[in-house]
Amino acid sequence: MKHSFYIGIVFSLVSAYCYSQPFDIEEKYRGNSFFSRVNMQKLWKDCTLPLDFEELDVSKQTEIRNRCQLYNFSSYFDNVYDLIDKRTVIYQKNDLTLRLSKENFSFKQEDDYYSGVKLILFLIKNNEIKDKITLANYFTNETTLLSVGYQYFYISPSGDIYTLSLIEMDDGIGPQRWRHYKIDVKNLKFHLAQIYDFRHQVTFPDNFTILPDPEQDKYYEKGQFEKCLKDESEDFCDIEDVYFYYLDQIKHKTVQLARKTNSTKNLFFPLKKNRDKLCLSQNEFLINNELFPYFDDIVLCEIKQLKQEIKRVEIELAK
């Protein structure tokens, strides 16, 4: 696999009244609670096959595959697809309805063509569709036949919805993206509360984190990284590297400012919260029918804000 995937720790969020309605959904439509507490790092480690996998004997191959829990759910979700017709109501109380529908879909990415089936979850009030999300899917690369994608889910009685997308290739299964939604019965929408990706973790509305990549072997020729600090759009630049450079700068300078002013409060965390809230609010996530939301715009926004924060702190340090 091309990427390493990091731990996706599920943080508990305090539910407001508008999220508190119990959703009593039959077990056959509920998914699996495993996906509410996914450890992305462990899944990556357990599900990546060793390079010499094909050379191992059958018993050793079976032992290695058994470590990957993601192989355990296909039969359950195959049954879910079989149960769903074009319109299947899985929850109904008063005027509120949750309905699942099964749809064929296809898309093209670069030169590859993909096709598959997805389950769409509709939030309906008084027979009017208010919101929808892709709850599950499976698709195949029809061009190369080398990869298969899945999305699994769990709907909790509290109205929390968790999804995990995966890609299966010849070197194992890789967890791609974990999402946490809340059913907001007041505003009649599926509220995206958290999303974790390869190196990015978001808890809305004000927490954005990029995780370091311990396996990264990024090499810059002499003077290249300095050019990246002037213009991170250069082809040889990794914008995450630029982000970490400025993040370290603001950490160091806010500590200096706290010492200079004899303050017990460090500005770093308030600045981060404000910066994250601003950048997350300015960049809309593609959450409904998109399989691959992007984070680059948010990282670039963070870099811009970090540069401005550093200048302001430097002015205070110079006084």
Side-chain angles (χ1 to χ4, degrees), residues 63-114:
E63 177 187 338
I64 291 172
R65 284 190 178 274
N66 286 342
R67 290 202 299 259
C68 179
Q69 297 187 63
L70 296 179
Y71 289 112
N72 299 334
F73 302 105
S74 59
S75 60
Y76 172 87
F77 287 100
D78 285 345
N79 290 334
V80 175
Y81 284 103
D82 292 338
L83 289 169
I84 301 301
D85 198 354
K86 287 186 177 180
R87 296 189 175 197
T88 303
V89 173
I90 64 172
Y91 171 84
Q92 193 165 36
K93 186 175 181 180
N94 300 326
D95 299 325
L96 189 68
T97 300
L98 293 178
R99 190 182 75 204
L100 275 175
S101 72
K102 182 168 57 178
E103 301 177 8
N104 295 321
F105 75 101
S106 62
F107 67 96
K108 188 174 182 180
Q109 187 179 35
E110 296 179 346
D111 295 327
D112 291 340
Y113 176 78
Y114 299 81

Side-chain angles (χ1 to χ4, degrees), residues 5 9 26-28 76 79 98-99 107 146-147 174 180 201-202 219 230 232 240 251 258 264 267 271 291 312 318:
F5 297 86
I9 303 172
E26 288 186 71
E27 185 175 353
K28 62 183 179 181
Y76 172 87
N79 290 334
L98 293 178
R99 190 182 75 204
F107 67 96
L146 294 177
S147 63
H180 172 198
Q201 295 185 349
V202 173
Y219 173 75
K230 295 179 180 178
E232 59 271 0
E240 274 79 12
K251 285 180 180 178
T264 58
L267 284 175
L271 286 174
L291 294 172
R312 290 195 294 267

